[in-house]
Amino acid sequence: MFTRRVLQFKKPAVSLGRTFSTRSTFANIRAGAFMRSSRRVLPALGFSLGAFYGMKHLNYSSKFRFSTQMAEAQEEFKEIEVTGHENLGEGEMMAFQVGPKDGDKILIAKYQGKIYALSNFCSHFGVPLAGSVLLEDKVICPAHNAAFSIVDGYPEYAPALNGLPTYETYEKDGKLFVKLPPNYKASKQVDMATRDESNKARVVIVGGGAAGLSAAETLRQSDYTGEIIILSDEDKTAYDRTLLSKVLVNGDADKWLLRKQDFFDKYGIDFRTSSKVKGVNVESNEVTLADGTTVSYDKLLLATGGHPKRPILPGIDLEGVYTLRNASDQEKIKSHVKDGLKVVIAGASFIGFEAAASFASSKIEGVQVHVVDMVNTAFEGALGKDVGGVLQKLGEDNGVKFHLSNGVKKIHGEGGKATKVELNNGEILDADIVLFGTGVQPTTQYIQEGIELDRDGSIKVNPFLQTSASNVYAAGDIASYPYHVTGARARVEHWNHALQQGEIAAFNILGKDIPYDAIPFFWTRNYMKSLQYVGYTRDYDDVFVDGSLEEQKFVAYYTKGEKIQAAAAFNRGADIHIIKEAMRLGLLPKASEIKDGSVTVQDLKAKILAKPGASACRRKSCCRNKKSS
């Protein structure tokens, strides 16, 4: 336990409008551009976030906008002596206790010889940061790859939508102190422009999911004051779609909204729900809605995501047979929940496996969960037999029954409702719910001409996410882009990827010419355990496992010849983020060097840090950069 000394003093009243660039103004920062309500976090995800719920963070940097109230300027600050920092080497971090509760911790980090203080909890799901990775000024969340500058708290990587509070540190009488206001966990917002009615420029975004929302916010963070219209075919504003399968049984998408309506009102973002687009005319710069109305644009971003593949087979239209893509699907599935529930899931990959885990981990008395797939092992296509086998055993240990090397032949029903599933081998499974998690395809059927499509129906884009129509961009599940690691085209269907592509598309809509160079990252969390994956590959020829599959602590490298194309980690969260950064910078070794142990993950970290500036946070500079032309 570190010893600490607490001094308290009252701040004199100050005039409105000053910021902590003078380090003299107390500010109450309201929820804004990077703020996600943690009310959407559910205990089923395995995080203990009670202390983190509703955090409102403070930052003294002038890089953030503050809302100041005179009365708040009278509140007391804590001046806390920091101990233990003397043992920190360059690039090292530690958690420091500043109060009696477990959540009363801040992060102390050393960068370029200076000690910085900031929140110890990721603003996404509240995961502690002290045990993770610090690369230059960038601390990376070990769970979901969100990253933040320890200098100013600016968020770097998805899925974080808000930054971290930072706290003033200073020396006095040869000792180091950190200054915390009473509400040091208070939220803040990144500086965002508002709508200027005199600016007649208009950006239209088709799609109200992760990519669309991210693009709209990035435009405002980059001082764009023109009109922003988001057209979404759903009946609610953007929500965290990853939770649909992870907490399928007891989740509520209305609690997962990424932004409330007052946010869109404040920043002049016209988010139009129940607005389905049926056509795009690149000659007239218009999109046509299902009701026949048109909306003109100067710049257009297409971010309509994907829709589930629904097989053609007998009984597919019976009540109780579903795919899972949106909140409406989830609500229909939940309506069948009862004791003794029998669930048959077709698909042993991410959606199917997570849905099975949600049912198996629920409090439904006597629930039976069956998973059917043509593969020999769960996740075989995405993760290979060895890693897939680890997850399959995890499911089996929790009561899920797998029917592999098999498929659904027919769905039987009575009174229009599904009651049984017949498999290819003749086996019959009782079913109250039949869920198909058999993949998605790009939602681009509204594009008839003028925009080049790839063979799978996705939209071809260049490294700047620009389509064949110069003022039209695409991001997320529908974008087929040149992946710089392999040189081949890639289309990635993951949450972080969509958020990051939304950012880059927005920058390039503003003419900033920033190529998309992110490395795909995704995670799956089941039975209180997480697997993380970085990279992209469809044609690996070998999998090398560093660690123990049996102990569920390993990194698996997916290789083709001597090239490492992807990696998956179980209980090695810090390592996977170092590998990801090395992949982004082109610093990965030959596969044989990993296999024979001549290059370790710590060697990779040293190589990364040997390139000053390469891993420093870039997001703020991208926002603040003016147009290149």
Side-chain angles (χ1 to χ4, degrees):
M1 174 69 69
F2 295 117
T3 60
R4 56 191 177 88
R5 181 175 60 161
V6 178
L7 303 176
Q8 295 185 338
F9 60 94
K10 285 195 174 183
K11 188 89 179 149
V14 295
S15 60
L16 295 176
R18 298 179 64 192
T19 71
F20 268 80
S21 58
T22 61
R23 301 190 181 184
S24 63
T25 303
F26 179 83
N28 179 35
I29 312 150
R30 296 172 298 181
F34 288 111
M35 173 62 193
R36 172 180 294 180
S37 169
S38 55
R39 272 177 286 191
R40 59 183 178 75
V41 180
L42 301 177
L45 289 174
F47 296 115
S48 177
L49 301 181
F52 185 73
Y53 167 69
M55 275 191 174
K56 298 183 186 301
H57 296 314
L58 178 75
N59 188 295
Y60 60 80
S61 169
S62 61
K63 297 166 186 174
F64 295 94
R65 179 180 297 155
F66 295 84
S67 172
T68 309
Q69 298 181 13
M70 182 70 74
E72 292 169 335
Q74 303 286 349
E75 297 198 53
E76 295 179 346
F77 285 75
K78 287 183 179 180
E79 184 185 49
I80 300 177
E81 181 183 353
V82 179
T83 57
H85 67 282
E86 305 90 350
N87 300 320
L88 289 179
E90 178 66 22
E92 293 183 346
M93 306 177 292
M94 70 178 193
F96 184 68
Q97 194 81 29
V98 295
K101 298 179 181 179
D102 186 57
D104 295 333
K105 293 178 182 177
I106 63 174
L107 184 66
I108 303 296
K110 189 173 184 178
Y111 171 58
Q112 294 184 343
K114 183 176 178 180
I115 298 295
Y116 292 90
L118 65 159
S119 172
N120 183 48
F121 300 99
C122 175
S123 62
H124 175 227
F125 269 6
V127 176
L129 299 174
S132 187
V133 178
L134 180 64
L135 299 176
E136 299 194 63
D137 69 328
K138 183 168 63 186
V139 58
I140 304 174
C141 173
H144 306 122
N145 194 56
F148 310 88
S149 168
I150 63 169
V151 177
D152 56 27
Y154 215 95
E156 174 80 356
Y157 293 153
L161 296 181
N162 58 302
L164 296 181
T166 59
Y167 317 113
E168 180 182 353
T169 61
Y170 54 93
E171 291 188 4
K172 184 170 65 175
D173 300 328
K175 298 177 180 178
L176 181 71
F177 292 84
V178 60
K179 185 160 64 177
L180 298 179
N183 63 342
Y184 71 95
K185 298 176 182 178
S187 63
K188 70 180 181 182
Q189 68 178 59
V190 174
D191 192 4
M192 289 179 70
T194 56
R195 174 81 173 97
D196 180 354
E197 296 294 337
S198 66
N199 185 345
K200 302 303 181 182
R202 176 185 287 179
V203 175
V204 172
I205 299 169
V206 181
L213 177 66
S214 177
E217 293 196 18
T218 302
L219 288 170
R220 288 289 186 243
Q221 291 156 13
S222 300
D223 297 328
Y224 173 76
T225 61
E227 191 173 6
I228 300 174
I229 299 174
I230 300 177
L231 302 172
S232 174
D233 63 357
E234 292 202 54
D235 62 0
K236 54 176 54 66
T237 57
Y239 56 90
D240 190 337
R241 198 181 300 274
T242 68
L243 299 180
L244 290 175
S245 54
K246 291 178 173 64
V247 283
L248 172 59
V249 175
N250 56 0
D252 182 355
D254 285 331
K255 296 180 180 179
W256 307 334
L257 297 180
L258 303 180
R259 293 289 183 259
K260 294 184 177 179
Q261 188 58 47
D262 58 358
F263 172 86
F264 298 111
D265 294 340
K266 180 175 181 179
Y267 294 107
I269 298 171
D270 185 2
F271 199 119
R272 303 181 186 179
T273 57
S274 302
S275 298
K276 185 177 181 63
V277 170
K278 70 173 185 180
V280 175
N281 189 323
V282 298
E283 296 296 328
S284 62
N285 291 338
E286 290 180 328
V287 295
T288 303
L289 304 184
D291 63 5
T293 60
T294 59
V295 179
S296 63
Y297 61 84
D298 296 303
K299 297 289 180 68
L300 176 66
L301 173 63
L302 302 176
T304 42
H307 58 279
K309 296 176 181 177
R310 193 175 179 91
I312 300 173
L313 51 81
I316 192 67
D317 295 323
L318 288 169
E319 182 183 343
V321 180
Y322 300 105
T323 56
L324 178 62
R325 183 62 180 177
N326 55 42
S328 176
D329 295 333
Q330 184 194 34
E331 289 303 312
K332 292 174 183 176
I333 292 169
K334 285 167 52 181
S335 71
H336 294 269
V337 171
K338 61 181 180 180
D339 288 344
L341 182 71
K342 300 175 179 63
V343 183
V344 176
I345 298 172
S349 195
F350 294 98
I351 295 298
F353 196 88
E354 289 180 353
S358 181
F359 281 111
S361 302
S362 71
K363 296 181 180 180
I364 304 172
E365 189 71 28
V367 65
Q368 297 179 25
V369 184
H370 299 264
V371 174
V372 182
D373 203 310
M374 294 298 296
V375 298
N376 298 313
T377 307
F379 290 99
E380 184 175 330
L383 302 175
K385 292 183 179 180
D386 291 338
V387 177
V390 172
L391 293 178
Q392 181 177 322
K393 185 177 186 304
L394 193 59
E396 290 169 341
D397 290 344
N398 283 274
V400 177
K401 295 179 174 60
F402 289 87
H403 306 261
L404 303 177
S405 301
N406 215 329
V408 175
K409 179 179 181 181
K410 181 179 180 180
I411 302 169
H412 299 267
E414 294 179 5
K417 297 181 179 180
T419 57
K420 299 179 184 297
V421 174
E422 181 179 348
L423 305 186
N424 288 341
N425 65 355
E427 186 177 1
I428 302 292
L429 304 175
D430 290 334
D432 300 303
I433 296 172
V434 182
L435 175 61
F436 284 89
T438 48
V440 301
Q441 57 194 59
T443 300
T444 56
Q445 66 274 11
Y446 57 90
I447 298 173
Q448 287 81 40
E449 57 183 17
I451 297 173
E452 185 180 2
L453 301 181
D454 215 336
R455 288 179 296 178
D456 63 353
S458 59
I459 300 174
K460 279 190 171 183
V461 296
N462 64 18
F464 306 98
L465 305 183
Q466 185 180 41
T467 73
S468 56
S470 62
N471 62 341
V472 180
Y473 297 77
D477 293 7
I478 64 172
S480 170
Y481 71 101
Y483 180 45
H484 71 283
V485 174
T486 63
R489 285 198 166 271
R491 185 176 70 83
V492 180
E493 301 166 349
H494 296 295
W495 181 255
N496 283 22
H497 175 83
L499 286 165
Q500 290 172 340
Q501 282 205 340
E503 297 171 3
I504 298 301
F507 290 143
N508 292 316
I509 283 172
L510 297 177
K512 298 189 179 189
D513 295 337
I514 297 174
Y516 183 68
D517 70 346
I519 300 298
F521 171 92
F522 67 83
W523 74 92
T524 183
R525 184 166 179 81
N526 309 279
Y527 314 104
M528 310 292 283
K529 297 184 179 182
S530 294
L531 178 137
Q532 300 148 309
Y533 182 99
V534 299
Y536 178 85
T537 181
R538 292 184 180 276
D539 60 350
Y540 60 90
D541 54 28
D542 191 22
V543 181
F544 170 71
V545 177
D546 173 23
S548 171
L549 294 170
E550 291 75 19
E551 295 176 8
Q552 298 180 354
K553 188 173 183 178
F554 59 85
V555 174
Y557 294 89
Y558 298 82
T559 65
K560 185 174 184 179
E562 284 284 9
K563 188 175 183 62
I564 298 171
Q565 295 186 325
F570 215 99
N571 291 321
R572 294 265 296 265
D575 288 352
I576 200 69
H577 300 298
I578 294 172
I579 294 167
K580 175 178 175 287
E581 191 71 2
M583 188 178 294
R584 184 180 72 84
L585 297 175
L587 297 176
L588 286 180
K590 295 179 179 179
S592 58
E593 293 176 311
I594 287 289
K595 293 176 181 179
D596 65 19
S598 59
V599 176
T600 67
V601 172
Q602 290 308 307
D603 293 332
L604 294 181
K605 183 177 180 181
K607 288 183 179 181
I608 292 168
L609 295 178
K611 295 176 71 68
S615 295
C617 283
R618 307 181 295 172
R619 177 68 191 277
K620 180 184 180 296
S621 63
C622 290
C623 285
R624 299 277 74 86
N625 280 350
K626 301 302 180 183
K627 294 181 180 180
S628 60
S629 59

